């Protein structure tokens, strides 16, 4: 199965079910589908029935413990859905250009962001900035 350290015991990212529930509360139907690298064709056929997809797979995640070319196959599928006029949020192209963690820093000052989200691009920035922020609250550190 695909996965990573950000998955709960049910195999979902911790925020996937609340996102699904929010979409339903907003008046739309929403299903959670799992992508299995060895069942790509089945998944591709299944998603054709949907108007939009919220992708909960980090860029490069499908290159880990899967057969070669899995990430590329998935990305091409998402691009083909976009070309057909379907909404894919966020597309592999956008994810790659923005960087999953860097995007959080870019929206930190927006209402939906967190003011104390920071990024360190050099070792010196990390050593100085992270130590300083740790003095005030527990922190989460992730590599982009």
């Amino acid at each position: 199965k695909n996965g990573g350290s950000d998955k709960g015991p049910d195999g979902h990212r911790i925020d996937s079910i609340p996102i699904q529930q929010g979409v339903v509360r907003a008046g739309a139907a929403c299903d959670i589908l799992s992508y299995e690298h060895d069942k790509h064709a089945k998944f591709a056929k299944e998603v054709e029935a949907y108007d939009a997809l919220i992708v909960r797979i980090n860029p490069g995640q499908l290159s880990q413990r899967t057969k070669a070319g899995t990430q590329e196959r998935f990305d091409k599928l998402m691009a083909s859905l976009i070309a057909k006029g379907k909404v894919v949020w966020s597309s592999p192209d956008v994810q790659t250009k923005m960087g999953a963690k860097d995007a959080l820093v870019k929206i930190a000052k927006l209402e939906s962001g967190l003011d104390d989200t920071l990024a360190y691009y050099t070792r010196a920035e990390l050593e100085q900035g992270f130590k300083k922020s740790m003095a005030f609250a527990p922190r989460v550190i992730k590599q982009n």
Side-chain angles (χ1 to χ4, degrees):
K1 297 283 181 189
N2 301 321
S5 60
D6 61 346
K7 309 294 181 296
D10 62 1
H12 297 292
R13 290 174 66 154
I14 195 165
D15 55 355
S16 293
I17 292 172
I19 289 170
Q20 177 201 28
Q21 292 168 344
V23 171
V24 171
R25 277 194 301 275
C30 187
D31 299 317
I32 293 181
L33 305 176
S34 294
Y35 179 81
E36 296 178 43
H37 69 95
D38 54 346
K39 297 179 182 173
H40 177 85
K42 179 181 180 255
F43 179 83
K45 185 175 181 178
E46 226 177 348
V47 297
E48 285 290 335
Y50 292 85
D51 298 320
L53 291 154
I54 301 172
V55 178
R56 305 295 299 138
I57 300 171
N58 286 332
Q61 185 72 39
L62 295 175
S63 298
Q64 301 171 23
R65 295 182 301 275
T66 61
K67 59 184 170 185
T70 297
Q71 184 72 57
E72 292 77 15
R73 273 190 300 284
F74 182 84
D75 291 352
K76 284 180 184 175
L77 173 61
M78 295 301 108
S80 74
L81 294 170
I82 292 167
K84 292 176 184 175
K86 296 182 185 280
V87 176
V88 176
W89 182 82
S90 60
S91 70
D93 187 45
V94 168
Q95 287 185 3
T96 301
K97 286 180 182 173
M98 288 190 73
K101 310 308 180 264
D102 199 42
L104 298 175
V105 174
K106 291 177 182 177
I107 67 163
K109 303 297 182 208
L110 299 178
E111 191 174 319
S112 60
L114 296 173
D115 246 0
D116 63 345
T117 303
L118 306 165
Y120 309 107
Y121 298 99
T122 67
R123 183 184 185 115
E125 287 176 347
L126 172 64
E127 288 174 357
Q128 182 181 18
F130 189 67
K131 287 177 183 177
K132 183 178 176 182
S133 71
M134 282 295 296
F136 300 103
R139 305 300 299 172
V140 173
I141 187 166
K142 293 186 175 190
Q143 183 176 353
N144 198 18

